């Protein structure tokens, strides 16, 4: 098993258990203690876990109050891979919905290369400005702007979405799990995602590894309603998801 895959698997195990001893990690991963210690050192350096007495614990990323600009550096390389994979699903000329969020935002520079141009509908003030700067046809949904995410939310926004039909939509998520579906911390943002998926002929959810296997407060949609685009799954994640939804990985298709 290559180092990157092994460390992703290790992180997945720690994240699932929240706290786990080194001996338990050895049994679960069938890896030597010395190798586990080296991997944990690397994961500690990235800020994903911390060493504590008796083992290691997962550091939960608190995204609830992060602004769009604060979210961007988290899993940056994976987000770029995910964005490229997502844009590859477009032939050009489609009418698409682009949800607010840092991972969906990574798609914008790649959308500029699509010919014929796509027309983008978005609920993100930040996305709309960038799309306009790149001369990509864009329409922004109106409504209340949530300050921390620049996302337009509320009943007026949902009503506008319900009057439209999208060829393809790309939504974000704070949590994605077999048990709870696609989730987000905000009820009104969940309502936007639910409306968008209902009005789309095909919907993709863009999620990095930190979101998979986790759940947030408000459910948006079931997993079977969307196609997951992610960077790379661990073997365990792939096994859990393969019966629930279609998955596109940066390095292949499930």
């Amino acid at each position: 098993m290559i180092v990157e895959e092994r460390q992703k698997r290790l992180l997945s195990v720690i994240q699932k258990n929240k706290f786990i001893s080194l001996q338990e990690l050895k049994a679960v991963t069938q890896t030597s203690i010395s190798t586990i210690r080296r991997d944990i050192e690397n994961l500690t350096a990235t800020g994903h876990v911390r060493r504590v007495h008796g083992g290691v614990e997962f550091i939960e990323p608190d995204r609830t109050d992060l602004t769009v600009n604060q979210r961007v550096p988290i899993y940056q390389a994976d987000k770029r891979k995910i964005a490229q994979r997502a844009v590859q699903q477009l032939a050009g000329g489609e009418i698409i919905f682009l949800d607010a969020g840092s991972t969906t935002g990574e798609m914008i520079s790649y959308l500029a290369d699509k010919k014929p141009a796509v027309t983008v509908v978005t609920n993100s003030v930040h996305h709309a400005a960038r799309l306009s700067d790149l001369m990509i046809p864009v329409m922004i949904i109106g409504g209340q702007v949530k300050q921390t995410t620049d996302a337009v939310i509320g009943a007026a926004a949902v009503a506008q979405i319900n009057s439209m039909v999208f060829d393809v939509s790309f939504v974000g998520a704070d949590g994605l799990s077999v048990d709870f579906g696609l989730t987000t911390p905000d009820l009104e943002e969940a309502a936007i995602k639910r409306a968008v998926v209902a009005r789309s002929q095909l919907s993709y959810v863009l999620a990095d590894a930190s979101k998979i296997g986790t759940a947030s407060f408000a459910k948006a949609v079931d997993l079977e309603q969307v196609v997951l685009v992610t960077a790379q799954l661990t073997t365990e994640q792939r096994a859990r998801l393969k019966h629930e939804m279609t998955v596109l990985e940066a390095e292949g298709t499930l």
Side-chain angles (χ1 to χ4, degrees):
M1 184 183 297
I2 62 173
V3 174
E4 183 180 0
E5 172 70 14
R6 189 181 67 237
Q7 290 182 2
K8 282 188 176 182
R9 183 184 177 198
L10 191 67
L11 179 60
S12 177
V13 171
I14 298 169
Q15 181 179 5
K16 181 179 179 180
N17 289 274
K18 308 305 179 187
F19 168 84
I20 190 167
S21 70
L22 296 187
Q23 288 298 329
E24 288 173 317
L25 279 174
K26 178 183 178 183
V28 171
T29 63
Q30 297 183 335
T31 307
S32 69
I33 289 291
S34 60
T35 299
I36 288 173
R37 286 199 177 103
R38 286 196 299 272
D39 287 341
I40 288 174
E41 285 180 8
N42 290 331
L43 293 174
T44 299
T46 66
H48 294 129
V49 304
R50 66 168 65 92
R51 286 292 303 271
V52 295
H53 180 68
V56 60
E57 67 179 5
F58 181 71
I59 300 174
E60 292 284 356
D62 182 8
R63 295 186 176 84
T64 305
D65 295 319
L66 293 181
T67 65
V68 172
N69 288 335
Q70 288 171 326
R71 289 170 182 242
V72 168
I74 303 174
Y75 284 88
Q76 182 68 39
D78 280 358
K79 289 179 180 183
R80 287 187 183 133
K81 292 178 184 177
I82 293 166
Q84 286 180 300
R85 190 76 164 100
V87 172
Q88 286 171 4
Q89 309 313 305
L90 298 171
E94 296 96 338
I95 297 174
I96 72 170
F97 186 93
L98 195 63
D99 192 14
S102 57
T103 310
T104 51
E106 289 291 335
M107 292 177 60
I108 293 173
S109 59
Y110 303 113
L111 288 173
D113 297 327
K114 280 294 175 184
K115 303 297 179 191
V118 297
T119 297
V120 183
V121 181
T122 185
N123 66 324
S124 168
V125 176
H126 181 74
H127 291 359
R130 288 186 60 204
L131 289 158
S132 181
D133 286 345
L134 291 172
M135 305 299 290
I136 299 171
V138 58
M139 175 186 295
I140 185 168
I141 297 294
Q144 177 187 350
V145 177
K146 184 178 178 182
Q147 296 299 317
T148 55
T149 61
D150 282 342
V152 178
I153 57 175
V158 171
Q160 288 176 69
I161 291 167
N162 284 336
S163 70
M164 302 174 180
V165 176
F166 310 110
D167 295 315
V168 187
S169 62
F170 299 92
V171 300
D174 284 78
L176 189 153
S177 74
V178 171
D179 295 325
F180 301 106
L182 191 157
T183 55
T184 185
D186 188 284
L187 284 168
E188 292 197 278
E189 288 196 14
I192 293 288
K193 297 177 197 296
R194 191 157 47 247
V196 167
V197 171
R199 302 300 295 177
S200 300
Q201 297 185 48
L202 178 62
S203 295
Y204 295 91
V205 57
L206 279 55
D208 61 57
S210 69
K211 316 287 183 62
I212 297 171
T214 68
S216 195
F217 173 63
K219 180 179 178 180
V221 296
D222 293 324
L223 296 188
E224 64 186 23
Q225 295 176 260
V226 293
V227 175
L228 171 63
V229 186
T230 191
Q232 187 175 18
L233 297 175
T234 65
T235 303
E236 181 180 355
Q237 289 171 334
R238 195 175 293 114
R240 289 270 292 168
L241 291 173
K242 69 179 182 180
H243 299 301
E244 304 294 329
M245 67 192 312
T246 302
V247 178
L248 301 178
E249 295 182 67
E251 302 301 326
T253 305
L254 176 65

